[in-house]
Amino acid sequence: AQSVTQPDIHITVSEGASLELRCNYSYGATPYLFWYVQSPGQGLQLLLKYFSGDTLVQGIKGFEAEFKRSQSSFNLRKPSVHWSDAAEYFCAVRSGGGADGLTFGKGTHLIIQP
Amino acid sequence: NAGVTQTPKFQVLKTGQSMTLQCAQDMNHNSMYWYRQDPGMGLRLIYYSASEGTTDKGEVPNGYNVSRLNKREFSLRLESAAPSQTSVYFCASSEEGAADTQYFGPGTRLTVL
């Protein structure tokens, strides 16, 4: 069965500093990988996804992620965070089976210090 | 274009009561999903419907039933609510491909006393 690990439950970053959120997955074949963001009291919004091709993926709001097959990782990065980036971030994986659901990590809560 | 809508936004039930959570999407998507979100657990899949007329169990289906009423609507029913079902419930929809983005509704916060 596929699984996703987000090792950091909370991360605190100063505004303007760089950010990296870690995600490791477990899946036998090439996975379909996603990063979602959830603001307080809101639903989830897709930041970016990887399914093939270039291993460095660009997303919305200045985020990017890099797929590293050898490390089973799909870490999310941003060069300079803004106070509005404070939110919960979820990494998710999907098998190649089509319409089945996503398997989510437990999330990383991002706190931005002024 | 409202995307994915869910009703109600909040609900409080007593143990043993029943209720149905409603979900509708206006993106003409084939696939729809129900997830629950609990603190420190991320989101877990309850049921999904790959296409109109089909439903399948996800990771945590016990205590729930679903109905794919038509292509737009996918409801989740709790027949006899239990405190363990206190959670935030999210509906999502997507096209059928594995790489296709799932679009999420705003959620329903359910408390079972």
Side-chain angles (χ1 to χ4, degrees):
Chain A
Q2 58 206 29
S3 65
V4 177
T5 301
Q6 294 180 246
D8 304 304
I9 298 174
H10 300 279
I11 282 189
T12 301
V13 177
S14 297
E15 191 168 13
S18 64
L19 171 69
E20 182 170 28
L21 302 182
R22 296 183 290 164
C23 173
N24 293 97
Y25 67 89
S26 172
Y27 180 62
T30 299
Y32 296 80
L33 294 160
F34 304 79
W35 274 101
Y36 280 86
V37 61
Q38 182 181 33
S39 298
Q42 302 295 313
L44 279 72
Q45 181 184 23
L46 180 73
L47 286 175
L48 46 80
K49 62 184 177 182
Y50 170 81
F51 53 94
S52 68
D54 193 346
T55 56
L56 185 62
V57 180
Q58 301 297 320
I60 63 171
K61 304 185 181 188
F63 285 93
E64 67 178 25
E66 186 171 12
F67 171 60
K68 293 186 177 180
R69 185 189 303 275
S70 61
Q71 298 176 20
S72 297
S73 69
F74 188 55
N75 294 348
L76 182 72
R77 300 193 294 247
K78 187 170 185 178
S80 176
V81 298
H82 186 262
W83 64 266
S84 59
D85 293 324
E88 192 84 16
Y89 291 80
F90 293 97
C91 182
V93 66
R94 196 178 196 182
S95 70
D100 54 344
L102 295 167
T103 298
F104 284 86
K106 295 183 178 181
T108 297
H109 183 58
L110 176 63
I111 300 165
I112 306 295
Q113 281 184 334
Chain B
N1 188 341
V4 179
T5 57
Q6 294 182 235
T7 55
K9 293 191 185 319
F10 302 94
Q11 184 71 48
V12 178
L13 292 178
K14 295 181 180 178
T15 298
Q17 288 184 318
S18 63
M19 79 161 296
T20 300
L21 281 65
Q22 306 287 352
C23 173
Q25 52 93 7
D26 61 3
M27 295 175 280
N28 202 35
H29 286 160
N30 286 314
S31 303
M32 297 186 74
Y33 310 83
W34 277 106
Y35 294 88
R36 62 177 287 174
Q37 182 179 26
D38 302 295
M41 296 295 293
L43 279 78
R44 293 179 292 170
L45 183 67
I46 305 171
Y47 270 94
Y48 67 99
S49 171
S51 61
E52 188 177 354
T54 69
T55 60
D56 285 284
K57 295 179 180 179
E59 181 184 353
V60 289
N62 291 345
Y64 305 96
N65 286 300
V66 290
S67 295
R68 184 74 183 266
L69 304 171
N70 47 55
K71 191 172 185 179
R72 289 188 64 249
E73 299 173 288
F74 188 39
S75 63
L76 179 72
R77 183 161 178 83
L78 287 70
E79 292 290 352
S80 179
S84 61
Q85 294 177 304
T86 294
S87 189
V88 181
Y89 292 85
F90 288 99
C91 178
S93 72
S94 75
E95 292 298 346
E96 291 176 87
D100 290 317
T101 300
Q102 289 189 15
Y103 295 87
F104 285 79
T108 294
R109 185 174 293 274
L110 175 66
T111 301
V112 183
L113 302 175

